Amino acid sequence: MNRLERIVSIAFFVCSSSAIVLLAAPPPQDHRTENVIFVMTDGLRWQEVFHGEDPALLVLDPKHSKGKELAAFQRAQAAYQRDTPAARREALMPFFWGTMAKNGQIYGNRDLESDAYVTNGRNFSYPGYNETLCGFADPAIDSNDEVLNPNVTVLEWLNNKPHFKDKVAAFGAWDIFGFIFNHPRSGFTVNSGYEPLTVEPITPKIALLNQLKADNPRIWSDEAFDALPFQTALEYLKVHKPRVLYLSLGETDDWGHDANYIEYLNAAHRADDFLRRLWETVQSMPQYKGRTTLIYSPDHGRGSGSEWTSHGRKIPESKYIWMAFLGPDTPALGERSKIPAVTQNQIAATLAATIGEDYRKDVPKAGPPIADVVKAAHVK
């Protein structure tokens, strides 16, 4: 081999070796999320999330200036009233602001030019849940009636994949979720309202929860107190270890419609604590620790001032919502400001992307994943 041939041969060997090393090298950052927990709380306003208790709404009716109503007012003052909006919101939602905001991403503070809103134009529950879970608004869904959803949710889509089959479960306070998820068609575990959970094994805790659902007084005929679906979901998580867990809470909306601002605040505070307990539970379990993304959002907003109790098409500002994301593949950018708006129809594809799945490839009309949330994700 002459000198020129040797140079060419060496150069070819070096280039080929470099190419092999480049192809074999792992991606710069491995995708770690294997599970996702998605919690929604019905109709919790962005105003309380970002400002905390509203002093103009937490007021004592002169007719209730003594007795149990006064005691409830004083407890709420002590729990939620602070000198600044930052202190008030941390008092109302300590896990949200102490853990999710510091280690994840929060969208929807309109004061910081971070809008988040629904696109369905109706601003109430079933259209909002459909948009959130399917990734698009459906004009045909125009009521909260018990109608089986013709659309496939991202949870059903995931459950149809072999590696997620029977690893998806949904729990809700509102008894309409069996219709929203089209339980007869979708086939994964859906438990909502006052219905008992019948999935084996029926642990002693599940048996007790089933009995409490039957025995509890019902302020709202179609919606259980949030503690019941939360506790049921938590026990299911421990026993069955799903890869995708959905939980919807309802008291924030129910107390809002009842114009009970104190209980609305209490419900928001409890929901925050449920998040904390879910997160601490999964961080204590090897299957989930460091491998789980948590998402939190409402289905719609509410009005302001005297209209805080209501929402819907006639209250345009009730389209504004908020979103929070926390997980090992989501950069810790905190409370976002001065960014383009995000929309409710992006949540489904974002959820899928956090666990490495390309929802939009199969459902192109869905909103795209929120890029900053899934920046480190490697979508299949």
Side-chain angles (χ1 to χ4, degrees):
M1 183 181 293
N2 61 36
R3 184 168 180 272
L4 180 59
E5 288 173 327
R6 285 199 301 273
I7 291 172
V8 171
S9 177
I10 292 169
F12 177 79
F13 174 77
V14 169
C15 291
S16 299
S17 299
S18 299
I20 291 170
V21 170
L22 186 62
L23 288 172
Q29 182 176 358
D30 292 333
H31 183 68
R32 291 170 288 173
T33 299
E34 298 175 6
N35 318 284
V36 63
I37 296 174
F38 183 16
V39 179
M40 297 183 72
T41 187
D42 200 309
L44 178 58
R45 302 193 310 166
W46 74 271
Q47 290 93 327
E48 276 77 27
V49 171
F50 294 102
H51 301 158
E53 165 265 345
D54 186 340
L57 297 179
L58 184 58
V59 294
L60 182 64
D61 187 330
K63 295 182 294 186
H64 299 147
S65 58
K66 58 182 179 180
K68 62 182 181 181
E69 290 85 1
L70 174 61
F73 174 73
Q74 291 172 334
R75 285 194 299 271
Q77 280 185 309
Y80 310 124
Q81 283 194 342
R82 301 292 186 273
D83 292 335
T84 66
R88 289 198 294 271
R89 71 187 191 182
E90 288 174 12
L92 181 65
M93 302 171 67
F95 175 79
F96 187 94
W97 290 108
T99 298
M100 294 198 79
K102 289 182 179 178
N103 301 296
Q105 296 181 27
I106 312 294
Y107 295 79
N109 188 343
R110 303 191 67 214
D111 296 332
L112 298 182
E113 298 178 40
S114 174
D115 279 358
Y117 57 88
V118 308
T119 69
N120 59 69
R122 300 191 182 276
N123 309 343
F124 63 88
S125 290
Y126 199 151
Y129 287 117
N130 175 80
E131 180 179 338
T132 301
L133 295 163
C134 299
F136 53 88
D138 183 350
I141 296 178
D142 58 2
S143 76
N144 285 335
D145 293 345
E146 296 180 346
V147 176
L148 289 171
N149 195 344
N151 305 309
V152 173
T153 68
V154 68
L155 270 67
E156 182 178 350
W157 180 82
L158 287 168
N159 189 64
N160 287 334
K161 293 180 173 293
H163 45 297
F164 287 101
K165 186 67 176 176
D166 299 325
K167 292 292 183 181
V168 177
F171 298 84
W174 194 26
D175 65 9
I176 300 297
F177 277 102
F179 296 89
I180 294 172
F181 287 113
N182 198 328
H183 193 209
R185 183 193 66 212
S186 62
F188 61 87
T189 296
V190 180
N191 181 253
S192 61
Y194 294 98
E195 66 179 338
L197 179 65
T198 58
V199 179
E200 297 288 345
I202 306 297
T203 66
K205 183 174 180 180
I206 290 296
L208 175 59
L209 288 164
N210 286 343
Q211 191 62 53
L212 287 172
K213 289 177 183 180
D215 294 344
N216 248 18
R218 304 185 180 188
I219 292 181
W220 311 293
S221 62
D222 61 345
E223 193 142 34
F225 286 125
D226 289 339
L228 292 172
F230 164 70
Q231 291 289 351
T232 306
L234 185 63
E235 180 71 357
Y236 187 95
L237 173 76
K238 293 175 181 177
V239 174
H240 296 277
K241 300 178 178 62
R243 291 190 61 190
V244 181
L245 180 70
Y246 175 85
L247 171 63
S248 176
L249 308 171
E251 286 189 53
T252 42
D253 192 61
D254 286 312
W255 292 120
H257 285 301
D258 288 351
N260 191 329
Y261 192 65
I262 290 175
E263 290 302 338
Y264 167 83
L265 293 175
N266 289 338
H269 187 66
R270 278 194 300 273
D272 182 81
D273 196 55
F274 293 160
L275 279 185
R276 176 190 65 81
R277 290 151 71 180
L278 275 170
W279 189 247
E280 290 179 357
T281 297
V282 298
Q283 296 311 310
S284 72
M285 301 171 69
Q287 175 181 329
Y288 295 101
K289 184 178 181 180
R291 303 176 183 181
T292 302
T293 288
L294 176 64
I295 303 173
Y296 190 35
S297 188
D299 55 333
H300 56 74
R302 314 187 79 81
S304 59
S306 63
E307 292 186 324
W308 81 271
T309 63
S310 300
H311 56 87
R313 179 174 286 178
K314 293 182 179 179
I315 303 177
E317 70 175 293
S318 62
K319 74 177 185 178
Y320 292 107
I321 59 170
W322 47 271
M323 307 174 191
F325 303 87
L326 171 65
D329 302 299
T330 297
L333 302 179
E335 183 178 10
R336 306 307 308 277
S337 63
K338 297 182 179 180
I339 58 170
V342 295
T343 51
Q344 190 175 59
N345 63 15
Q346 294 182 262
I347 294 177
T350 304
L351 182 155
T354 65
I355 42 180
E357 299 291 339
D358 189 352
Y359 181 65
R360 223 173 164 221
K361 181 179 179 181
D362 287 350
V363 189
K365 62 181 175 180
I370 300 172
D372 285 348
V373 172
V374 294
K375 191 170 287 185
H378 301 289
V379 178
K380 296 175 184 176

